[in-house]
Amino acid sequence: GAGVSQSPRYKVAKRGQDVALRCDPISGHVSLFWYQQALGQGPEFLTYFQNEAQLDKSGLPSDRFFAERPEGSVSTLKIQRTQQEDSAVYLCASSPGGPSTDTQYFGPGTRLTVL
Amino acid sequence: AQSVAQPEDQVNVAEGNPLTVKCTYSVSGNPYLFWYVQYPNRGLQFLLKYITGDNLVKGSYGFEAEFNKSQTSFHLKKPSALVSDSALYFCAVRDTNTGGFKTIFGAGTRLFVKA
């Protein structure tokens, strides 16, 4: 079956531009996570959705970062006024039920480069 | 605060030999522990997890890990390494005291298996 998909796979933005990154989770998955992975590092938690509710956004680095999942399926991570330090791979993951014990299924990521 | 440490940036092992990739963690409550693997140009894939029960957990591709509460460790092991096991391995933890939303990943350990 289809896994988690993300688009675009690569995005180049000029500093100050806004970007939108899309995540299509596995159909029916309740939980959705966003992570930021800098070069040579492990993924860092950004935010968590349970269906359409954003239950944890403690990892969002600034108010320039905004995520939504309005219908409980597709999610969008938006970054406003991009800065060079935003350059990273953005990973999306979904899991079937609650977040605690479920395995997360990861997408391939979107590599964002801010010039 | 919860944290994960993978003390080795890289592990080298000859094919057919046993391998160990180390992981230690720090949480305030009980941990949920995970291992993921990342192959080049592919998303993170789940290997195994410890939630409760037997300290020795068996997972995909012949990997296993042992939960050691006194040493706060969750080392990944395989009795006989394959060249195809060469990849980037991430240990991750969730703290039951924080609602279980946030997964903390280690920085990763690159495994090289030489033929």
Side-chain angles (χ1 to χ4, degrees):
Chain A
V4 178
S5 61
Q6 293 185 245
S7 61
R9 291 292 312 277
Y10 303 91
K11 177 70 179 177
V12 179
K14 291 183 179 178
R15 188 163 58 93
Q17 283 184 331
D18 297 349
V19 298
L21 312 180
R22 178 187 169 106
C23 172
D24 284 83
I26 294 172
S27 179
H29 276 197
V30 168
S31 294
L32 187 145
F33 303 78
W34 282 100
Y35 294 88
Q36 181 189 60
Q37 187 175 18
L39 191 63
Q41 299 297 316
E44 289 201 19
F45 171 87
L46 293 178
T47 188
Y48 165 69
F49 289 87
Q50 189 169 85
N51 296 308
E52 68 278 4
Q54 189 175 20
L55 298 186
D56 190 334
K57 54 181 180 179
S58 62
L60 295 176
S62 76
D63 58 7
R64 296 186 295 104
F65 286 71
F66 172 76
E68 60 183 5
R69 193 186 185 198
E71 297 178 357
S73 55
V74 172
S75 177
T76 304
L77 176 66
K78 298 179 179 178
I79 309 173
Q80 297 177 324
R81 304 181 303 281
T82 53
Q83 304 294 315
Q84 285 188 324
E85 61 263 28
D86 300 334
S87 296
V89 175
Y90 290 85
L91 299 172
C92 175
S94 68
S95 63
S100 295
T101 60
D102 270 3
T103 299
Q104 292 179 45
Y105 296 85
F106 282 81
T110 294
R111 182 177 297 277
L112 173 65
T113 303
V114 181
L115 303 176
Chain B
Q2 50 187 332
S3 65
V4 174
Q6 293 183 243
E8 302 153 317
D9 290 338
Q10 185 172 308
V11 170
N12 298 310
V13 65
E15 188 174 34
N17 283 0
L19 70 88
T20 298
V21 182
K22 295 180 180 177
C23 172
T24 59
Y25 66 90
S26 174
V27 296
S28 59
N30 291 318
Y32 296 148
L33 294 155
F34 303 80
W35 275 101
Y36 287 84
V37 59
Q38 189 171 40
Y39 296 101
N41 299 316
R42 294 175 66 178
L44 275 79
Q45 296 178 31
F46 170 79
L47 276 181
L48 51 78
K49 64 183 176 183
Y50 170 82
I51 303 300
T52 187
D54 286 343
N55 290 343
L56 184 64
V57 178
K58 294 188 183 295
S60 307
Y61 313 119
F63 284 93
E64 58 187 31
E66 185 165 14
F67 170 60
N68 187 317
K69 188 172 184 178
S70 63
Q71 297 186 5
T72 61
S73 68
F74 191 57
H75 301 330
L76 181 70
K77 300 183 179 185
K78 186 173 182 180
S80 178
L82 300 173
V83 172
S84 57
D85 293 331
S86 298
L88 188 56
Y89 290 81
F90 291 98
C91 181
V93 66
R94 289 189 201 138
D95 188 344
T96 57
N97 272 9
T98 60
F101 302 144
K102 196 168 185 174
T103 304
I104 302 298
F105 283 80
T109 298
R110 190 166 296 279
L111 174 66
F112 286 102
V113 181
K114 193 173 181 180

